[in-house]
Amino acid sequence: MALASLTHLQPLFKRLQVRDQITSDEMTALAATAGAIVDVPANTDMAPEGSRPGFSTLVVEGFAIRYNLLGDGRRQITAIHVPGDFIDLPSFLLKSMDHSVAALSDCRVMTYSHQSLLDITARWPHLSRMLWLLTLMEAAIHRQWLVTMGRFSALQRMAHLVCELYVRLETVGKAHNGRFNLPMTHVGLADTLGLSPVHVNRILGELRSMRLIRWDTPEVEILDWAGLRRVAEFDDSYLNLRNEPR
Amino acid sequence: MALASLTHLQPLFKRLQVRDQITSDEMTALAATAGAIVDVPANTDMAPEGSRPGFSTLVVEGFAIRYNLLGDGRRQITAIHVPGDFIDLPSFLLKSMDHSVAALSDCRVMTYSHQSLLDITARWPHLSRMLWLLTLMEAAIHRQWLVTMGRFSALQRMAHLVCELYVRLETVGKAHNGRFNLPMTHVGLADTLGLSPVHVNRILGELRSMRLIRWDTPEVEILDWAGLRRVAEFDDSYLNLRNEPR
DNA sequence: CGTAGACTTGACGGCACTCAAACAAGGTGG
DNA sequence: CCACCTTGTTTGAGTGCCGTCAAGTCTACG
């Protein structure tokens, strides 16, 4: 079980090691306090709005999203989570879910009871700072999304999302050579970018005709990284990829 | 100095006590590790993009904003900070600023060196969870803003911002009877809501003619809370106002 | 009294939305 | 094995919210 856990924790360790040193004791502690490994089928709510989960979950494999529903049924996705993301760390301290978390694709997740996270904060100050860091990195992504939503055109928003996902997936070894999988429909992209599905389709066509990307759902290929980056005004500093003591 | 600090920490304590119990030992610890109290004049950058501040700051009095500048000079404000907000807690762990923080009005702030915050995480697990909670609450506000930016009309966005600021300011005793001060021009509001200043003006006129608010800069008065709330689809649960053990 | 900054109002244009319909692909049951 | 259905993608036509440009008003302040 412990060995299996360490394997499953690889994406998280990769993410953390990009930012700081993690001791093997800390790795062992994270593996020892892990709860069950659960497979969640695509399009399943893991933590619905209004619920009070007693545990947080770490994505091992697959994609998850965080979203809000409006009164009239419209949806806004506020985060896309990839392997190594500790989703629902917010629920650890916020307690009650003010939004929903769902599996986008089939997911494998590990659970961490809030009690075990409490123990970590009491006994492993550096490790708990690293978990805190994860939530701060998520907030940094939120801020960048706010910038793109407020000030970017639809084309720029889409280009920026592709750049961001590529870098984040590459960090955990899920993207190579400009290619990655994104199991998301036009409706999902529209709900992420604050657009309509029809317009998402037109924008993707434009990015294709500009020879910036190829997109055979679910595979995305970046054909011209420099060009895409320029269109998106993408600067990865908000992703905090530098390694330094925290 | 310690006594003076406790006075200055009142807005922060009010915010925290809405969410959880804070012991007097923890209050004393926060007061003891506080650094200098600094007055910052309006429209001054406190933490410019690219800088690496060695301390975080707590707003004691006044308003501050977090913003990004785009290549062509456009601006997007990603957060409005009020007294009791621990701004730049992100800088404690993210280290390098990927955006700027500025005083919106004349501000009084307290500084906390990153070293002293490190000491707090090592010695006061519950208190550090409360600081972590503050960053999670900020992320929750970011998510709500993403929803309004992505799916709300300009009118709804403005109404929602007024509702949010009223509740946040009331929590720290800076709003009463539907009234509060917001030292922000139409340009600032436009950069917050992702609109143009011209349209902000029109929207404010509409909210006025709907008898929902009065707005004699800088004083804002909510004339019809239920009506404003309805327009904004405002639900305060994302602000986490419930008191429970964290 | 002149100037600067903020607010206000009008005209016009464009990006993105809605509505609508056709096309493609995968899954299911008869 | 194929008709059928469901889900997703694509394309066109028309509309509207909000942006830009421009000019004018109001207030504070030196």
Side-chain angles (χ1 to χ4, degrees):
Chain A
M1 180 69 178
L3 270 178
S5 294
L6 279 175
T7 313
H8 291 116
L9 285 169
Q10 282 315 310
L12 175 63
F13 291 155
K14 280 184 189 163
R15 281 189 72 205
L16 293 177
Q17 283 163 342
V18 167
R19 278 87 185 180
D20 194 4
Q21 314 302 324
I22 306 292
T23 67
S24 57
D25 282 354
E26 289 173 330
M27 292 187 193
T28 309
L30 263 181
T33 52
I37 293 169
V38 182
D39 286 321
V40 183
N43 303 313
T44 311
D45 271 356
M46 296 198 261
E49 179 175 345
S51 66
R52 302 170 63 80
F55 52 88
S56 296
T57 58
L58 169 71
V59 180
V60 173
E61 185 64 51
F63 288 79
I65 54 170
R66 205 173 274 281
Y67 68 92
N68 285 50
L69 284 181
L70 275 62
D72 58 2
R74 285 182 305 171
R75 182 176 69 154
Q76 178 65 45
I77 293 173
T78 57
I80 298 176
H81 289 294
V82 304
D85 279 6
F86 225 127
I87 55 178
D88 264 331
L89 217 37
S91 80
F92 169 41
L93 293 175
L94 297 182
K95 300 301 174 192
S96 176
M97 297 294 292
D98 62 323
H99 61 278
S100 301
V101 175
L104 187 62
S105 62
D106 289 341
C107 278
R108 170 159 295 175
V109 302
M110 285 176 82
T111 60
Y112 279 85
S113 74
H114 289 170
Q115 182 57 50
S116 63
L117 291 172
L118 216 50
D119 292 344
I120 287 178
T121 65
R123 297 173 47 197
W124 300 89
H126 177 257
L127 186 55
S128 37
R129 283 199 300 277
M130 294 309 283
L131 296 182
W132 185 357
L133 170 67
L134 292 178
T135 65
L136 286 168
M137 282 167 43
E138 191 176 334
I141 294 174
H142 287 335
R143 282 191 292 272
Q144 184 59 49
W145 282 29
L146 277 170
V147 173
T148 68
M149 297 274 273
R151 294 302 183 201
F152 278 17
S153 69
L155 188 78
Q156 288 183 293
R157 295 221 277 277
M158 181 65 79
H160 199 279
L161 181 64
V162 172
C163 289
E164 177 186 304
L165 285 174
Y166 183 72
V167 173
R168 288 173 59 196
L169 288 168
E170 193 185 34
T171 303
V172 291
K174 300 289 179 187
H176 311 278
N177 306 319
R179 280 193 290 270
F180 63 94
N181 278 328
L182 182 63
M184 206 178 220
T185 68
H186 291 186
V187 172
L189 291 167
D191 289 342
T192 304
L193 299 172
L195 300 169
S196 68
V198 172
H199 201 56
V200 163
N201 178 57
R202 290 188 224 279
I203 291 303
L204 286 178
E206 196 174 341
L207 285 172
R208 266 193 288 253
S209 71
M210 291 168 79
R211 311 269 165 164
L212 295 177
I213 61 168
R214 205 174 47 74
W215 193 307
D216 296 328
T217 310
E219 194 187 75
V220 184
E221 179 175 5
I222 298 171
L223 299 174
D224 176 0
W225 175 251
L228 192 67
R229 206 184 132 100
R230 192 172 343 101
V231 167
E233 295 186 33
F234 182 74
D235 172 354
D236 68 12
S237 58
Y238 74 98
L239 294 173
N240 293 280
L241 301 167
R242 291 185 49 169
N243 188 305
E244 35 194 328
R246 320 260 176 180
Chain B
M1 180 69 178
L3 271 178
S5 293
L6 279 175
T7 313
H8 291 115
L9 285 170
Q10 282 315 311
L12 175 63
F13 292 154
K14 281 183 189 165
R15 281 190 73 204
L16 293 179
Q17 282 163 342
V18 167
R19 279 89 185 177
D20 193 3
Q21 315 301 325
I22 306 293
T23 68
S24 57
D25 281 354
E26 288 173 330
M27 292 187 192
T28 308
L30 264 181
T33 51
I37 292 168
V38 182
D39 287 319
V40 183
N43 303 313
T44 311
D45 270 356
M46 297 197 262
E49 179 175 345
S51 66
R52 302 172 62 81
F55 52 87
S56 297
T57 58
L58 169 70
V59 180
V60 173
E61 184 65 51
F63 288 79
I65 54 171
R66 205 172 274 282
Y67 68 92
N68 284 51
L69 283 180
L70 275 62
D72 59 3
R74 284 182 306 170
R75 182 176 68 153
Q76 177 65 44
I77 293 173
T78 56
I80 299 177
H81 289 296
V82 304
D85 279 7
F86 224 128
I87 55 179
D88 265 334
L89 218 38
S91 80
F92 168 40
L93 293 175
L94 296 182
K95 301 300 175 194
S96 176
M97 297 294 292
D98 62 324
H99 60 276
S100 300
V101 175
L104 187 61
S105 62
D106 291 340
C107 279
R108 171 159 294 175
V109 303
M110 284 175 82
T111 60
Y112 279 86
S113 74
H114 289 170
Q115 182 56 52
S116 63
L117 291 173
L118 216 51
D119 292 344
I120 287 178
T121 65
R123 296 173 47 196
W124 300 89
H126 177 259
L127 185 55
S128 35
R129 284 199 299 277
M130 294 309 283
L131 296 181
W132 186 356
L133 170 67
L134 292 177
T135 66
L136 286 169
M137 283 166 44
E138 193 175 333
I141 294 173
H142 288 334
R143 283 191 292 273
Q144 185 58 50
W145 284 28
L146 278 170
V147 173
T148 68
M149 297 275 272
R151 293 303 182 201
F152 278 18
S153 68
L155 187 78
Q156 288 183 294
R157 296 221 276 277
M158 180 65 79
H160 198 280
L161 181 64
V162 172
C163 288
E164 176 185 304
L165 284 175
Y166 182 73
V167 173
R168 289 173 59 196
L169 287 168
E170 192 186 34
T171 303
V172 291
K174 299 290 180 186
H176 310 279
N177 306 319
R179 280 194 290 270
F180 63 93
N181 278 327
L182 182 63
M184 206 178 222
T185 68
H186 290 187
V187 172
L189 290 167
D191 289 342
T192 303
L193 300 172
L195 300 169
S196 68
V198 173
H199 201 59
V200 163
N201 179 55
R202 290 189 224 277
I203 292 302
L204 286 178
E206 196 174 339
L207 286 172
R208 266 193 288 254
S209 71
M210 292 168 78
R211 311 268 166 164
L212 295 177
I213 62 167
R214 208 174 44 74
W215 193 307
D216 296 329
T217 311
E219 194 187 76
V220 184
E221 179 175 4
I222 299 172
L223 299 175
D224 177 1
W225 174 251
L228 192 67
R229 206 183 132 99
R230 190 170 346 104
V231 168
E233 294 185 34
F234 182 75
D235 172 353
D236 68 12
S237 57
Y238 73 99
L239 294 173
N240 294 278
L241 301 168
R242 290 183 50 167
N243 187 305
E244 33 195 330
R246 319 258 177 184

